[in-house]
Amino acid sequence: MKKKLLYYLFIIFVSVSGRLYSQTYQLVGNPVNTTGWDLVSSAAVSGDFIRLTQDIGNQYGAIKLSTPINLKYCDKWKVEFDFRIDGNGTTQYGRGDGFTFWYLANPPSAFVSGGGLGIPANANGLMVGFDIFNNTTEGQMSKIHLLYGTNNLPAGNNNIEYNNTPGSTFHSPDLNPTQPFVGSTYKHVEVNGETDLTNPANWIIKIRLDGVLILDQSFAPSGGAIGMTTGYFGFSAATGGASARHSIKNAKIYIDKVPILTNTVTPFVCVNPATGNGTVNLTSFQNQFVTNPANYIFSYFGPGGTPITNPSNYQYSDSVNITVVIKDPSSTLCDNGDGQIVLNPTPFAASDVTLTGCNNNNAGGAIFDLTTAAVSTVPGVTKQFYNTMYDLNNNINQITNPTAYLSPAATLYCKVTTPQGCMDVAEVTLALYPEVTVQEATLRSCSIESNPSMASFNLTLAAVTTQSATKKYYPSATDAANGTNEILNPTAYISPNGVVYIKVTNANGCYAIAKVNLIVIAQVFSSVLQDKIICIEDKTTLDAGSGFTSYEWSTGATTQAINNVTVGTYWVKLKTGECVATQTVKVYPSEQPVITSVDISNTTVTVYVTGGTAPYQYSMDGINWQISNEFKNVPRGDAKIYVKDAYDCDPIDITIVVPNLINVITPNGDGINDVIDYSALAGKQNLVFNVFDRYGAQIHSADKSNKYRWDGTVAGRKVPTGNYWYSVSWNESDKKNTPVKYSGWILVKNRD
């Protein structure tokens, strides 16, 4: 029996290690589920086990799979089960006879006498018997017999205990002393079969009983087992003159094979009208059987099982079924011979089709991928495209860029050729979808106050089309065509004056590109609203002028002008149309003039002023004003000087002292005009009193130590009679500490 691949999958598949698929035939459950099995004679379900025989004489029972199993391509299989042999037996023979697990081409279907353990004479296949009755001594024993052949030796005898066909049989020693078969508990059996790689016609059989290896050797088929590929798995038992209850449970038959995606592939094939034959590459269908064909070995067989030596170029003329055998070289999975490629030649006809494309952006036509034209469902056809039938018939001017063919609406011709050489011509109509209609648009938006050259545009408001379409926005026409640098914030797009482009795409995927002009509306400010300068104590009016839609002042006023405005900074929001410009205006206080110094010469007072805005006006009484800074004939004593600038604000003033003028002293000690005395000014800041001779040399400096006096002496000596100059300077106690300088001359008369 050649072991390649299981022919029939029956009950369930179990994945092992991600690659191994198992088909398992089971007798499990409580009660035992016997779906797919046949019970023969006295065999019956009893709870969780199958009772093959009752504990009475001349009993026979069997259970077998209802459907035969094809092991032609199977490299490996496994059977495991539990058995129990118990009962009282008979007085004369005790317990008997035993049971057999088998894979038979001709399984038992009726009563079989006890000595054959339920196996009829001339049974062909593999038989593993568990024998408890020694037919020679008529005593008890526990032996395992194996026969891979025909149960007819000695001739006409069905008792495998006596069959000793060389290379095809095995008889274990009596296991009664160590592993007796009879007892109240179940014993576990594993039988493994796999191809003997050194002799592929043989099986290597391994038998374990309760985990103990009893048998591991190669067996050659003999008799009717030679060339056998199909049989039934099953169990049988017989009692003969003795009796015993024979029971099995938890029976599982594992047969693993290469999983395939489908059993039958029916490709389109045809015959070449010129030759009456066709060729096909059978290997091109491998991925329809398995996901990764490179992991497997494929063999192909024609009618009668004839191997196909050149499957990549298989020739046929009529319908034929090809058997595909798939082998996994990396494991002991059974080969799968269930695959079939059904070749049924039929006439070939190509189909006329229409391709519809987009005349994008009015380019003059669409770019068509002609190769997508569904002119045939036959895999592997070649397509050649021509503008005219004349070109096609003469094989000239073939279209060389069929994947990107720019064309207006037109009709082309396609020569379609199958892998078998069959040919037909299909018309390919090129049609255009309705064009996407767009128009140029302009958007205007108010400038951003913080960046007046920019504005925020809502591009989605651009009225570029009235058709239902989707829109995308781009900074350039090239970007729009290529779909690059898309504007992702079209509702708030910040931009200066410029353009953007909108790609308008309809439901057919056709598009047109529209130009959108962007115009930044400049801010409009008041030309009449200017900064002002006023006196700090005054108020003024700020007028933004007419022509604006609305006004909103920082004071809360909404009028064109605001009154009674004091010194400060103000703003007004001026609205023109929908745009608002914020204009700031300042009201400055006028700069007050500052009296920098005062010179007093005899009765003339000269006032020096800086700051403010010229021309200045001067007054000694705050009523009468003059433009000259010099006052003459000012009376001696305290006086007040007022100054204001061109803004005529409240004047500034300063109090000065015009000292008494002494022009002559006679330092003779008579107490009359003996000294110049300015001690009355001692309360002034930085008071300085200096005396100079007629050449300008300082000869005396009066200070606190000499009580701001001069008695006409220098270093205790009287100065000569003559004229001398003096100056008195100080700072007034005002906020500016205004410097005042008083100067004059004096005659000193000294008598020697």
Side-chain angles (χ1 to χ4, degrees):
M1 176 170 38
K2 185 177 181 181
K3 299 164 288 292
K4 291 286 183 178
L5 181 68
L6 174 64
Y7 174 75
Y8 181 81
L9 299 179
F10 183 64
I11 300 179
I12 60 174
F13 289 86
V14 179
S15 176
V16 179
S17 302
R19 296 181 66 249
L20 196 65
Y21 286 77
S22 299
Q23 180 175 341
T24 307
Y25 305 93
Q26 303 187 62
L27 286 171
V28 295
N30 189 4
V32 177
N33 183 357
T34 60
T35 302
W37 296 79
D38 295 331
L39 294 169
V40 180
S41 191
S42 63
V45 174
S46 179
D48 65 346
F49 64 92
I50 301 296
R51 188 198 67 225
L52 296 175
T53 66
Q54 302 180 63
D55 185 18
I56 57 179
N58 295 314
Q59 278 278 299
Y60 169 75
I63 186 169
K64 69 177 183 65
L65 283 173
S66 302
T67 305
I69 303 300
N70 188 337
L71 296 180
K72 177 179 180 180
Y73 301 110
C74 197
D75 293 297
K76 182 180 182 180
W77 54 267
K78 174 183 176 181
V79 176
E80 60 178 319
F81 56 88
D82 298 328
F83 77 85
R84 179 182 63 189
I85 301 176
D86 59 0
N88 298 317
T90 63
T91 303
Q92 181 178 0
Y93 299 112
R95 299 180 187 87
D97 277 327
F99 77 98
T100 305
F101 155 72
W102 34 257
Y103 173 71
L104 297 176
N106 49 346
S109 59
F111 179 81
V112 178
S113 62
L117 308 182
I119 306 170
N122 296 316
N124 298 315
L126 176 69
M127 296 150 268
V128 180
F130 295 81
D131 195 351
I132 62 171
F133 188 80
N134 190 321
N135 286 286
T136 301
T137 66
E138 297 185 349
Q140 299 293 295
M141 68 178 185
S142 295
K143 283 189 177 185
I144 296 176
H145 309 299
L146 184 145
L147 169 61
Y148 189 14
T150 300
N151 188 26
N152 62 356
L153 294 177
N157 194 324
N158 68 339
N159 193 330
I160 65 173
E161 179 183 357
Y162 301 128
N163 194 316
N164 290 296
T165 303
S168 301
T169 57
F170 166 80
H171 304 282
S172 76
D174 189 356
L175 301 176
N176 242 6
T178 57
Q179 293 178 283
F181 296 168
V182 177
S184 59
T185 60
Y186 281 90
K187 304 185 76 64
H188 185 68
V189 177
E190 294 182 14
V191 181
N192 288 271
E194 62 182 278
T195 298
D196 185 346
L197 298 180
T198 62
N199 189 346
N202 290 9
W203 283 105
I204 296 176
I205 303 297
K206 297 179 182 179
I207 299 176
R208 287 183 171 84
L209 178 62
D210 284 340
V212 177
L213 183 64
I214 305 299
L215 171 64
D216 182 1
Q217 68 183 61
S218 178
F219 292 90
S222 62
I226 298 175
M228 173 184 167
T229 59
T230 303
Y232 296 83
F233 284 103
F235 301 86
S236 63
T239 60
S243 69
R245 182 175 64 164
H246 299 83
S247 306
I248 61 168
K249 71 174 182 178
N250 296 327
K252 299 175 184 177
I253 301 171
Y254 301 94
I255 299 176
D256 303 327
K257 69 175 181 177
V258 172
I260 60 175
L261 304 174
T262 184
N263 287 348
T264 303
V265 173
T266 307
F268 172 85
V269 291
C270 63
V271 294
N272 190 328
T275 64
N277 294 317
T279 58
V280 64
N281 182 0
L282 300 176
T283 66
S284 66
F285 309 116
Q286 292 179 355
N287 60 359
Q288 297 186 48
F289 290 108
V290 293
T291 303
N292 298 304
N295 294 339
Y296 301 92
I297 297 174
F298 288 78
S299 300
Y300 303 86
F301 301 88
T306 304
I308 297 174
T309 58
N310 188 14
S312 62
N313 189 30
Y314 180 71
Q315 189 174 92
Y316 58 89
S317 58
D318 296 314
S319 298
V320 63
N321 288 2
I322 307 298
T323 299
V324 182
V325 178
I326 306 170
K327 179 179 180 63
D328 181 357
S330 64
S331 73
T332 56
L333 290 176
C334 299
D335 300 349
N336 195 324
D338 295 344
Q340 278 198 340
I341 300 173
V342 178
L343 305 180
N344 185 20
T346 57
F348 173 65
S351 302
D352 295 339
V353 297
T354 297
L355 295 179
T356 306
C358 297
N359 180 18
N360 286 327
N361 216 27
N362 298 320
I367 297 176
F368 294 93
D369 183 353
L370 304 180
T371 63
T372 64
V375 293
S376 175
T377 59
V378 177
V381 298
T382 58
K383 306 172 189 177
Q384 296 171 294
F385 298 90
Y386 299 86
N387 285 295
T388 66
M389 275 299 295
Y390 178 84
D391 289 344
L392 185 149
N393 290 330
N394 292 278
N395 196 29
I396 60 175
N397 301 321
Q398 181 181 343
I399 294 173
T400 57
N401 61 333
T403 59
Y405 183 65
L406 175 62
S407 175
T411 299
L412 305 180
Y413 300 90
C414 178
K415 180 190 290 185
V416 187
T417 306
T418 71
Q420 295 78 34
C422 301
M423 189 273 290
D424 194 19
V425 176
E427 283 190 5
V428 179
T429 300
L430 303 183
L432 298 178
Y433 287 115
E435 292 182 359
V436 178
T437 303
V438 296
Q439 61 191 13
E440 186 173 331
T442 298
L443 292 177
R444 293 174 172 83
S445 185
C446 302
S447 63
I448 299 172
E449 287 195 66
S450 60
N451 190 357
S453 66
M454 310 290 281
S456 177
F457 295 90
N458 185 349
L459 305 181
T460 64
L461 299 179
V464 295
T465 185
T466 59
Q467 297 176 336
S468 177
T470 59
K471 302 174 185 176
K472 291 189 176 182
Y473 306 84
Y474 299 90
S476 71
T478 300
D479 285 329
N482 297 331
T484 55
N485 300 315
E486 181 184 353
I487 295 171
L488 300 178
N489 59 333
T491 58
Y493 180 62
I494 307 300
S495 173
N497 289 325
V499 294
V500 294
Y501 296 86
I502 302 179
K503 189 173 188 177
V504 182
T505 306
N506 65 15
N508 296 319
C510 304
Y511 70 85
I513 297 173
K515 179 182 178 182
V516 179
N517 301 296
L518 303 181
I519 298 176
V520 178
I521 302 175
Q523 294 175 307
V524 179
F525 295 99
S526 170
S527 60
V528 300
L529 184 62
Q530 304 290 333
D531 291 346
K532 286 188 174 183
I533 299 176
I534 64 173
C535 298
I536 187 68
E537 68 277 7
D538 287 350
K539 295 181 179 180
T540 188
T541 296
L542 295 178
D543 190 344
S546 61
F548 297 98
T549 305
S550 66
Y551 306 82
E552 180 185 345
W553 293 88
S554 54
T555 62
T558 57
T559 54
Q560 175 181 321
I562 54 176
N563 301 316
N564 297 320
V565 176
T566 60
V567 170
T569 300
Y570 303 85
W571 54 258
V572 60
K573 291 185 177 181
L574 304 171
K575 188 173 184 180
T576 305
E578 294 301 320
C579 300
V580 175
T582 301
Q583 186 170 344
T584 300
V585 61
K586 294 183 179 181
V587 179
Y588 295 97
S590 65
E591 181 183 358
Q592 288 186 310
V594 176
I595 299 174
T596 58
S597 64
V598 178
D599 284 348
I600 303 173
S601 179
N602 292 326
T603 60
T604 298
V605 176
T606 303
V607 182
Y608 296 97
V609 178
T610 61
T613 302
Y616 304 109
Q617 296 186 65
Y618 305 88
S619 175
M620 293 291 290
D621 58 9
I623 298 174
N624 300 299
W625 296 89
Q626 64 183 43
I627 61 174
S628 172
N629 66 334
E630 185 177 271
F631 296 93
K632 297 182 180 295
N633 302 314
V634 177
R636 306 293 178 177
D638 291 337
K640 205 167 193 177
I641 298 174
Y642 299 88
V643 179
K644 61 182 179 180
D645 66 1
Y647 282 97
D648 197 25
C649 298
D650 289 347
I652 62 171
D653 61 76
I654 184 174
T655 301
I656 64 172
V657 176
V658 180
N660 290 326
L661 178 63
I662 300 175
N663 294 110
V664 180
I665 62 172
T666 56
N668 55 11
D670 62 0
I672 300 173
N673 295 330
D674 287 334
V675 297
I676 296 176
D677 185 356
Y678 282 105
S679 60
L681 299 176
K684 300 293 185 180
Q685 299 181 56
N686 304 318
L687 179 63
V688 177
F689 170 34
N690 293 317
V691 181
F692 307 89
D693 63 18
R694 61 181 178 174
Y695 301 106
Q698 182 178 323
I699 60 175
H700 178 72
S701 179
D703 56 23
K704 189 181 293 186
S705 65
N706 51 33
K707 299 181 181 179
Y708 303 104
R709 295 180 177 186
W710 185 50
D711 60 1
T713 63
V714 175
R717 296 179 63 183
K718 294 180 179 181
V719 300
T721 297
N723 289 328
Y724 295 86
W725 296 96
Y726 68 93
S727 69
V728 182
S729 64
W730 66 89
N731 291 91
E732 290 292 348
S733 298
D734 55 24
K735 62 182 179 180
K736 298 293 185 179
N737 294 320
T738 305
V740 179
K741 183 178 180 182
Y742 172 69
S743 61
W745 59 271
I746 188 170
L747 173 63
V748 179
K749 292 182 179 181
N750 276 319
R751 295 179 181 178
D752 298 332

